[in-house]
Amino acid sequence: MIIVLEKGISDEKIENVIRHLEDYGFTVHKSTGEEQIILGAIGIQPNFDTRKIKILEGVSAVYRVTEPFRLASRGYQKENTKIKIGDVVIGSNDVVTIAGPCAVESEEQIMTIAKIIKEGGAKILRGGAFKPRTSPYSFQGLGEDGLKLLRKAGDEFGLAVITEVMDPGQVELVAKYADIFQLGARNMQNFPLLRELGKTNKPVMIKRGMSATIDEWLMSAEYILASGNKDVMVCERGIRTFETSTRNTFDLSAIPVIHKKSHLPIIADPSHAVGIRDKVIPMARAAVAAGADGLMVEVHHDPADALSDGPQALLPEQFFELMDQVKKIAEIIGRKA
Ligand code: PEP
Ligand code: MN
């Protein structure tokens, strides 16, 4: 932690700040410049509340040097986390595609879409059975029947499956059918759910909360890691801004920022970020070029009749086009899709 003291601060006040820092367990180094004095406080305390120092008399600014998260940080683990799901590895040189409908709607629907995405080269099938809908009157998902259908489609086409879990009480049930848990944007800070997912031995993909900073998002990952589950990946799905042309604003820069701050893989979800079909492909291309470890896109063979998120679902031919382009982009940056 770096503490900048006010110009002209008295010796008494400097001593007071140093004493507080030492009482909190820091070793303090004082640097005296021509105009200002700076204190360096050494000691790893990820949960230290810097306001305790900011409020002291004579303190002008306090800067944290270490991240507030530890297990999720690049400093803690230099090598990328690699998550194995059958013969698929997320966080390796391969750019892995997760695709499927927003929600599992029927056997015919999920089988049709699973076949399409397999043909296009996706490795993981997505589909919600428990849907976190903004309106209580919207389709809420098929529940366990949906999980069964998703599993059946995954097995039929040799695809791993990912689906959302919304409540700590659902974790055991969802674990019976899914290979990966999806933690939705609206639940990014559902702490009992994060803890429960930390006790399982299945990978978890944490979507970024709509208004979450990157550090808050990684703190949610820290909850799962600290509870014992090391197979965590994060997913950028757009954030709320003042812009209304797209459903959310796709924070492309989150991809290199996460790679710098953390060893966890990052998946890009342009479907929820832009919310409009014709803008998904360009943003997916950009995400791969920016270094995303994987893509998650919604695909539907009959989006006009989809029970949720139809307008953002790619048509089968668009999905094939996307996969084609992504392969070429991945190659340019020395990866494989
Ligand atoms: C979804 O993936 O269908 C979904 C609901 O996403 P998010 O949590 O990002 O809104
Ligand atoms: Mn959706």
Side-chain angles (χ1 to χ4, degrees), residues 73-139:
S73 74
R74 188 61 88 177
Y76 178 79
Q77 184 186 309
K78 294 270 171 292
E79 326 75 56
N80 294 337
T81 281
K82 292 186 173 57
I83 302 175
K84 273 206 174 81
I85 307 122
D87 55 5
V88 179
V89 185
I90 298 178
S92 67
N93 203 43
D94 293 356
V95 180
V96 176
T97 301
I98 304 170
C102 181
V104 179
E105 299 168 5
S106 67
E107 179 159 355
E108 190 255 328
Q109 176 244 22
I110 195 70
M111 288 293 177
T112 305
I113 298 172
K115 185 167 187 291
I116 293 164
I117 68 138
K118 176 77 183 185
E119 212 176 301
K123 297 280 192 278
I124 302 169
L125 175 65
R126 63 150 288 148
F130 295 103
K131 294 303 300 174
R133 306 307 299 279
T134 300
S135 164
Y137 308 115
S138 300
F139 175 59

Side-chain angles (χ1 to χ4, degrees), residues 71-326:
L71 304 175
S73 74
R74 188 61 88 177
Y76 178 79
Q77 184 186 309
K78 294 270 171 292
E79 326 75 56
N80 294 337
T81 281
K82 292 186 173 57
I83 302 175
K84 273 206 174 81
I85 307 122
D87 55 5
V88 179
V89 185
I90 298 178
S92 67
N93 203 43
D94 293 356
V95 180
V96 176
T97 301
I98 304 170
C102 181
V104 179
E105 299 168 5
S106 67
E107 179 159 355
E108 190 255 328
Q109 176 244 22
I110 195 70
M111 288 293 177
T112 305
I113 298 172
K115 185 167 187 291
I116 293 164
I117 68 138
K118 176 77 183 185
E119 212 176 301
K123 297 280 192 278
I124 302 169
L125 175 65
R126 63 150 288 148
F130 295 103
K131 294 303 300 174
R133 306 307 299 279
T134 300
S135 164
Y137 308 115
S138 300
F139 175 59
Q140 303 287 310
L142 296 179
E144 187 170 4
D145 289 344
L147 294 175
K148 286 182 184 160
L149 294 176
L150 183 71
R151 181 76 265 165
K152 190 171 172 191
D155 290 346
E156 173 88 17
F157 294 97
L159 296 159
V161 301
I162 179 169
T163 196
E164 180 158 356
V165 57
M166 286 178 20
D167 182 282
Q170 285 169 353
V171 170
E172 211 180 308
L173 175 71
V174 173
K176 266 172 62 184
Y177 302 98
D179 299 302
I180 309 168
F181 291 108
Q182 175 172 323
L183 184 80
R186 292 156 191 81
N187 271 311
M188 190 203 84
Q189 285 189 322
N190 180 338
F191 300 115
L193 180 55
L194 288 166
R195 283 218 174 83
E196 204 54 38
L197 290 170
K199 291 187 220 149
T200 70
N201 55 7
K202 292 207 170 180
V204 182
M205 186 185 80
I206 309 181
K207 288 196 143 195
R208 181 176 183 181
M210 295 179 199
S211 309
T213 64
I214 291 175
D215 279 5
E216 285 165 345
W217 188 16
L218 287 171
M219 288 301 278
S220 290
E222 187 80 8
Y223 262 85
I224 299 180
L225 297 169
S227 301
N229 187 350
K230 304 287 175 244
D231 286 341
V232 179
M233 60 191 119
V234 296
C235 174
E236 165 61 40
R237 46 78 72 205
I239 49 173
R240 273 271 159 89
T241 68
F242 50 82
E243 182 52 66
T244 54
S245 311
T246 48
R247 186 179 181 186
N248 293 289
T249 297
F250 191 30
D251 183 6
L252 196 56
S253 55
I255 297 166
V257 172
I258 285 284
H259 278 154
K260 173 98 180 169
K261 281 180 177 265
S262 178
H263 51 85
L264 301 176
I266 178 164
I267 307 292
D269 171 355
S271 302
H272 290 87
V274 298
I276 308 155
R277 177 175 313 127
D278 63 358
K279 294 177 181 58
V280 172
I281 295 182
M283 295 322 286
R285 288 195 303 248
V288 174
D293 299 296
L295 285 176
M296 175 184 257
V297 287
E298 288 187 343
V299 177
H300 205 294
H301 62 298
D302 181 15
D305 289 317
L307 296 180
S308 65
D309 282 347
Q312 70 192 30
L314 294 176
L315 292 158
E317 54 274 26
Q318 288 179 309
F319 179 65
F320 298 144
E321 181 193 339
L322 166 74
M323 292 302 276
D324 221 43
Q325 297 183 349
V326 156

